[in-house]
């Protein structure tokens, strides 16, 4: 291993190794392999390039819709043509299979186990028939694997199982069964450790909430344009949903049919910017040597930021129905130079219907599924949940519209600090949560988004029940359209964590950041749907 030149990075490495010696739950956190420290500037550049590669496939769905067409004024969609030519036979005849996704998932799990077994050098992956029988007859536990593994990698694996089934022509609920079965098989046969109930939940259910929007975006990309998808649309769809790309490539024409979106009203926004200012208040000490001077937590200033948001199936479009799970969903992905996966937030209508109040108000309401992963550098929170709520739009005047979502639900979540001495890595438990989000749209010129999230990670159903955490996050975003689909966005984000445990000092952490950046919009009207008559201000 080459020597580490940077003394600050040497201290960070020594401190991290010291922490791992103290913690017994770092079974998969750090592998004893040669470590090479990458210079900060190079790491930042690499992360920026990676996040751009992730976002490029979804920044545009094909041809830009005609900005001034009547159909686009009524409901912004992903299609330049009001009636895109469909690729038929999705889920029909041999385009639907219950066997193929089972084989896909079994093969995927085998390859994953073999990779982990030979490259991660951890005995937990050396499973065999004896460990399978032991897990089958033994009890279930709540494991303490690293936060990113339990809260991101497991749900993403579940999204793969879900994608295998969806791209083989199965509906959402059948695919959820495959996701749950794939997770169960891994828990019993993929590892020697006892099966984990929290992994089963986040993979089986959380994987579908993450996977369905990815599958829908991939299908929307394949469906756009006219006729058979070309190479670039196929490649973009595979980047969004690798399981879909695999089935379309491996089985030839059998699964070339494309899921029908029914032309939903869609809002997309891609932002590329930089953090201008930040503020951190925290009583957490980052110095692993407790006898020395405390090192406070800090937030990286000037880091690149990328953010992609899509709202799919916005209420108010005439003829569009909500008969299938996720006919409405909202998906957001935020990446930063210091943290490629800073935010991954997904919510979708599992079961519900549309409604109207008067001439100027349209909405949907029902049962939503929610998956949130939020990690603003100094702490993190993630939940998989279900809740009741509504998404709606209200025309306040002829040119001003208000869109909003209100949700209240409960799920299983985890929260904790990052690099804190004497802190537990994270705490899990039953998590009530709420969301209030709004977008005030000023014609085709600007929009103001306000969002407030609250998570209470309780001691119920937790591996330890002597404490709880409360996370509050607020975001204000002003976007101004400058020319065509190009604009500027100013954003202010504030997150606060309060943790209380009987055997630890109370913790309060607050982080705020202001960013500015370039914005590329999917349409000029910021997602406003206009069902009104011409005399009332409609198109």
């Amino acid at each position: 291993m080459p020597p580490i030149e940077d003394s600050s990075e040497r201290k960070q490495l020594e401190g991290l190794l010291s922490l791992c010696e103290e913690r017994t739950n770092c079974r998969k956190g750090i592998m004893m392999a040669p470590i090479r420290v990458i210079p900060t500037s190079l790491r930042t550049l690499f992360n920026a390039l990676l996040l751009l590669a992730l976002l490029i496939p979804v920044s545009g769905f094909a041809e830009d819709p005609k900005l001034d067409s009547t159909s686009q004024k009524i409901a912004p969609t992903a299609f330049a043509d009001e009636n895109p030519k469909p690729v038929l036979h999705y889920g029909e005849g041999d385009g639907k299979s219950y066997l193929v996704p089972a084989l896909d998932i079994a093969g995927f799990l085998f390859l994953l186990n073999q990779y982990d077994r030979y490259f991660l050098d951890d005995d937990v992956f050396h499973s065999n028939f004896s460990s399978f029988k032991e897990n089958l007859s033994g009890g279930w536990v709540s494991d303490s694997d690293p936060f990113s593994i339990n809260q991101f990698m497991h749900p993403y694996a579940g999204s793969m199982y879900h994608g295998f089934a969806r791209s083989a022509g199965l509906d959402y609920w059948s695919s959820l069964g495959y996701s749950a079965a794939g997770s169960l098989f891994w828990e019993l046969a993929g590892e020697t450790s006892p099966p984990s109930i929290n992994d089963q939940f986040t993979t089986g259910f959380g994987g579908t909430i993450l996977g369905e929007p990815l599958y829908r975006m991939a299908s929307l990309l394949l469906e756009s344009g006219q006729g058979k998808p070309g190479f670039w649309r196929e490649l973009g769809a595979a980047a969004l949903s690798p399981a879909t790309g695999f089935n379309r490539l491996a089985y030839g024409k059998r699964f070339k049919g494309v899921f029908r979106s029914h032309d939903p009203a869609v809002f997309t926004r891609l932002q590329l910017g930089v953090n201008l200012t930040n503020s951190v208040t925290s009583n957490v000490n980052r110095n692993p040597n407790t006898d020395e001077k405390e090192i406070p937590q800090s937030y990286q200033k000037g880091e690149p930021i990328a953010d992609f948001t899509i709202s799919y199936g916005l209420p108010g479009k005439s003829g569009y129905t909500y008969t299938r799970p996720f006919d409405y969903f909202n998906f957001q992905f935020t990446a930063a130079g210091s943290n490629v996966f800073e935010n991954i937030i997904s919510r979708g209508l599992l079961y519900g219907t549309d409604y109207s109040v008067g001439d100027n108000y349209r909405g949907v309401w029902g049962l939503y599924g929610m998956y949130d992963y939020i990690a603003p550098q100094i702490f993190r929170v993630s939940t998989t949940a279900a809740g009741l709520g509504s998404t709606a739009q209200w025309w306040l005047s002829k040119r001003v519209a208000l869109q909003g979502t209100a949700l209240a639900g409960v799920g299983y979540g985890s929260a904790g600090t990052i690099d804190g001495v004497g802190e537990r890595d994270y705490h899990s438990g039953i998590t009530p949560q709420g969301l209030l989000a709004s977008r005030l749209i000023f014609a085709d010129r600007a929009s103001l988004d306000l969002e407030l999230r609250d998570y209470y990670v309780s001691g119920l159903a937790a591996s330890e029940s002597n404490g709880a955490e409360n996370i509050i996050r607020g975001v204000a975003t002003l976007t101004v359209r400058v020319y065509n689909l190009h604009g500027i966005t100013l954003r202010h984000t504030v997150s606060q964590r309060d943790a209380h445990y009987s055997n630890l000092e109370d913790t309060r952490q607050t982080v705020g950041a202001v960013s500015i950046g370039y914005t590329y919009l999917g349409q000029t009207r910021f997602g406003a749907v206009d069902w009104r008559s011409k005399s009332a201000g409609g198109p």
Side-chain angles (χ1 to χ4, degrees):
M1 179 180 71
I4 300 172
E5 301 292 344
D6 191 323
S7 61
S8 63
E9 291 180 337
R10 176 185 292 277
K11 291 180 179 178
Q12 292 177 7
L13 179 60
E14 291 173 349
L16 186 59
L17 293 175
S18 175
L19 283 176
C20 281
E21 290 175 357
E22 297 173 2
R23 295 178 182 176
T24 59
N25 63 349
C26 285
R27 176 168 55 83
K28 300 178 188 173
I30 296 179
M31 303 304 165
M32 297 310 295
I35 300 172
R36 181 179 180 181
V37 176
I38 301 174
T40 301
S41 58
L42 181 60
R43 183 169 62 246
T44 299
L45 175 61
F46 173 78
N47 288 344
L49 291 175
L50 176 59
L51 64 88
L52 283 174
L54 291 169
L55 292 174
I56 281 173
V58 293
S59 61
F61 286 108
E63 309 167 47
D64 285 334
K66 296 177 182 179
L67 303 182
D68 297 321
S69 67
T70 300
S71 62
Q72 287 297 317
K73 290 179 180 179
I74 293 174
T77 73
F79 308 117
D81 191 319
E82 187 175 358
N83 296 299
K85 184 178 179 180
V87 183
L88 300 176
H89 310 304
Y90 171 82
E92 300 176 359
D94 66 353
K96 180 178 182 179
S97 174
Y98 291 96
L99 177 61
V100 166
L103 296 176
D104 287 343
I105 293 170
F108 176 80
L109 291 176
F110 173 77
L111 293 175
L112 180 62
N113 173 268
Q114 294 302 299
Y115 176 86
D116 291 345
R117 182 176 302 197
Y118 291 105
F119 290 95
L120 297 187
D121 192 26
D122 193 327
D123 289 341
V124 74
F125 300 113
H126 289 261
S127 53
N128 52 38
F129 188 67
S130 295
S131 64
F132 172 74
K133 288 195 300 181
E134 185 176 345
N135 286 341
L136 194 62
S137 59
W140 286 66
V141 301
S142 179
D143 75 14
S144 55
D145 287 344
F147 186 89
S148 60
I149 290 179
N150 273 353
Q151 303 305 318
F152 173 66
M153 294 305 298
H154 279 296
Y156 188 75
S159 77
M160 290 288 293
Y161 313 151
H162 183 81
F164 283 129
R166 289 293 272 135
S167 58
L170 304 186
D171 63 17
Y172 173 86
W173 296 112
S174 297
S175 300
L176 187 152
Y178 279 83
S179 182
S183 176
L184 177 63
F185 188 71
W186 175 264
E187 292 299 319
L188 296 176
E191 298 177 336
T192 60
S193 58
S196 167
I197 187 64
N198 53 307
D199 289 351
Q200 179 66 30
F201 181 69
T202 57
T203 307
F205 182 50
T208 68
I209 301 173
L210 176 61
E212 183 68 11
L214 296 175
Y215 174 74
R216 291 264 186 151
M217 286 188 281
S219 298
L220 200 60
L221 179 58
L222 293 169
E223 190 183 15
S224 63
Q226 292 295 312
K228 182 180 178 181
F231 171 78
W232 291 110
R233 281 194 283 153
E234 292 281 3
L235 183 62
L240 288 165
S241 178
T244 298
F246 174 81
N247 276 351
R248 293 179 64 83
L249 178 65
Y251 298 97
K253 295 181 179 180
R254 182 175 183 181
F255 299 120
K256 289 296 186 181
V258 177
F259 176 81
R260 298 294 304 278
S261 68
H262 298 162
D263 201 12
V266 172
F267 167 74
T268 59
R269 180 175 61 199
L270 173 66
Q271 300 171 326
L272 302 173
V274 63
N275 275 339
L276 294 177
T277 64
N278 59 75
S279 62
V280 174
T281 302
S282 173
N283 63 348
V284 174
N285 175 23
R286 295 181 63 242
N287 192 341
N289 299 315
T290 55
D291 295 334
E292 299 179 0
K293 183 179 179 181
E294 292 187 358
I295 300 177
Q297 290 186 302
S298 61
Y299 192 94
Q300 183 178 336
K301 182 179 178 181
E303 67 173 350
I305 299 290
D307 180 270
F308 175 76
T309 298
I310 178 171
S311 297
Y312 175 112
L314 290 164
K317 183 179 180 183
S318 177
Y320 186 78
T321 59
Y322 300 88
T323 57
R324 306 170 299 184
F326 282 78
D327 274 338
Y328 166 80
F329 73 81
N330 183 275
F331 179 87
Q332 181 184 6
F333 170 69
T334 305
S338 61
N339 187 5
V340 174
F341 300 103
E342 182 159 295
N343 299 325
I344 305 172
I345 299 171
S346 175
R347 64 177 182 270
L349 186 67
L350 293 173
Y351 183 80
T353 188
D354 55 345
Y355 66 95
S356 63
V357 179
D359 296 330
N360 295 325
Y361 193 100
R362 300 288 186 273
V364 294
W365 76 279
L367 178 67
Y368 287 70
M370 297 169 279
Y371 168 75
D372 297 352
Y373 181 95
I374 300 173
Q377 291 195 30
I378 69 171
F379 61 83
R380 56 225 173 155
V381 61
S382 180
T383 66
T384 297
L388 296 174
S390 176
T391 299
Q393 180 182 309
W394 180 18
W395 280 103
L396 301 177
S397 70
K398 287 189 175 183
R399 295 176 59 81
V400 178
L402 177 65
Q403 294 179 337
T405 294
L407 292 175
V410 63
Y412 197 80
S414 300
T417 191
I418 298 175
D419 294 339
V421 176
E423 286 266 347
R424 64 186 68 240
D425 190 35
Y426 64 90
H427 164 77
S428 300
I430 298 295
T431 304
Q433 63 187 73
L435 166 68
L436 291 174
S438 66
R439 176 179 300 128
L440 188 61
I441 301 171
F442 302 93
D444 62 353
R445 184 51 55 194
S447 69
L448 176 63
D449 292 62
L450 300 175
E451 180 181 281
L452 180 65
R453 298 177 179 273
D454 192 2
Y455 308 89
Y456 182 76
V457 185
S458 73
L460 296 176
S463 56
E464 68 290 316
S465 57
N466 60 340
E469 304 196 10
N470 189 61
I471 310 288
I472 299 176
R473 180 177 175 86
V475 183
T477 305
L478 175 65
T479 301
V480 178
R481 187 176 71 87
V482 177
Y483 171 74
N484 203 312
L485 299 176
H486 310 282
I488 297 175
T489 292
L490 183 67
R491 173 173 292 174
H492 184 208
T493 303
V494 178
S495 303
Q496 179 176 294
R497 169 181 176 255
D498 289 290
H500 307 280
Y501 296 97
S502 60
N503 59 335
L504 291 174
E505 180 184 356
D506 288 351
T507 299
R508 166 164 286 197
Q509 298 163 284
T510 303
V511 56
V514 175
S515 63
I516 190 170
Y518 160 79
T519 296
Y520 182 78
L521 297 165
Q523 249 294 331
T524 59
R525 295 165 187 82
F526 300 92
V529 181
D530 202 341
W531 58 86
R532 301 172 300 171
S533 65
K534 192 170 184 179
S535 60

